[in-house]
Amino acid sequence: DGGITQSPKYLFRKEGQNVTLSCEQNLNHDAMYWYRQDPGQGLRLIYYSQIVNDFQKGDIAEGYSVSREKKESFPLTVTSAQKNPTAFYLCASSIASGGVYEQFFGPGTRLTVL
Amino acid sequence: AQSVTQLGSHVSVSEGALVLLRCNYSSSVPPYLFWYVQYPNQGLQLLLKYTSAATLVKGINGFEAEFKKSETSFHLTKPSAHMSDAAEYFCAVRTDILTGGGNKLTFGTGTQLKVEL
């Protein structure tokens, strides 16, 4: 089945540690996205990538980093510079251009900083 | 810039009653609008999308939404609520129409739907 996988589902981190969240898709989509979700705030865009080896900052990129070395993969690193990293993180993908396309979402990773 | 506002962070209805979730948009160009549903601790699932082909859009699970330009609204409705409809619902608008590229979306803050017996 085609879709998006995120791992792990739950992640615990000590303050001061970097942590990497995995996102893989087999939908052959060019574009991929990372969102952060906090209660009552909806989804906020962290980073997005339209093509391999290229990515752009979203609205809340500070304290996060990404890479896009393969079309299928878009890992997100939450660095120690992110002051309040506890949140639900969602990865999405879509066709990037040529029409109006929805984004498909993974199941999410819940990160808790201890 | 394109944006959406969802009125009412919590809505409660009785099973079998009409569901109405409100979304108003702001856009300087004809918008592309989406409704997504999220069940607890899961990702988002597309319910329906408006791409200017028809003002009344039918989606999955019996939901539909009507685009009203005069009211800048795209409210989500379902004639008869079911217990399984209890979830959080997000309205979204595509934001890169003028800047081009990326198929970016901006989401509203969400409406939690509760369905009571």
Side-chain angles (χ1 to χ4, degrees):
Chain A
D1 288 335
I4 302 175
T5 57
Q6 292 186 242
S7 61
K9 188 168 180 63
Y10 298 95
L11 188 56
F12 298 90
R13 188 195 92 174
K14 293 182 179 179
E15 282 193 31
Q17 289 181 338
N18 292 355
V19 64
T20 297
L21 282 59
S22 170
C23 177
E24 303 278 333
Q25 56 100 358
N26 61 4
L27 299 169
N28 200 33
H29 288 166
D30 288 312
M32 297 187 74
Y33 316 81
W34 273 106
Y35 294 92
R36 171 180 172 138
Q37 184 177 18
D38 297 281
Q41 296 193 46
L43 278 70
R44 293 181 290 168
L45 183 64
I46 304 172
Y47 269 97
Y48 68 102
S49 168
Q50 298 181 62
I51 197 169
V52 174
N53 292 324
D54 186 49
F55 48 84
Q56 288 80 39
K57 293 181 179 180
D59 301 318
I60 56 165
E62 184 175 354
Y64 300 97
S65 66
V66 294
S67 63
R68 187 84 187 277
E69 298 177 358
K70 298 187 300 181
K71 187 176 185 178
E72 303 79 25
S73 179
F74 191 42
L76 173 74
T77 297
V78 184
T79 74
S80 57
Q82 170 51 234
K83 298 306 179 187
N84 184 22
T86 294
F88 191 52
Y89 291 87
L90 288 160
C91 179
S93 71
S94 79
I95 298 171
S97 62
V100 182
Y101 301 102
E102 63 268 33
Q103 294 183 8
F104 292 79
F105 283 81
T109 292
R110 187 167 298 280
L111 173 64
T112 302
V113 174
L114 303 173
Chain B
Q2 288 77 29
S3 65
V4 289
T5 301
Q6 291 184 244
L7 299 176
S9 59
H10 291 81
V11 170
S12 184
V13 300
S14 299
E15 191 175 33
L18 171 72
V19 175
L20 171 61
L21 303 181
R22 300 178 186 274
C23 175
N24 288 88
Y25 70 88
S26 173
S27 178
S28 57
V29 297
Y32 297 132
L33 296 159
F34 304 79
W35 273 102
Y36 282 86
V37 61
Q38 184 182 34
Y39 299 98
N41 292 313
Q42 294 186 26
L44 277 65
Q45 179 184 7
L46 180 73
L47 282 174
L48 49 82
K49 65 181 179 183
Y50 169 74
T51 61
S52 76
T55 56
L56 182 63
V57 183
K58 294 188 182 297
I60 63 172
N61 302 338
F63 284 94
E64 62 182 34
E66 185 172 8
F67 176 76
K68 292 187 177 180
K69 183 179 179 180
S70 60
E71 299 177 8
T72 62
S73 69
F74 189 56
H75 301 332
L76 183 70
T77 61
K78 182 174 181 178
S80 177
H82 191 273
M83 296 296 289
S84 61
D85 295 326
E88 190 158 23
Y89 293 79
F90 291 94
C91 182
V93 63
R94 183 169 172 179
T95 52
D96 66 331
I97 297 173
L98 295 179
T99 57
N103 195 31
K104 292 193 297 180
L105 301 179
T106 290
F107 289 82
T109 53
T111 297
Q112 188 71 46
L113 176 65
K114 182 178 180 180
V115 182
E116 299 174 316
L117 287 171

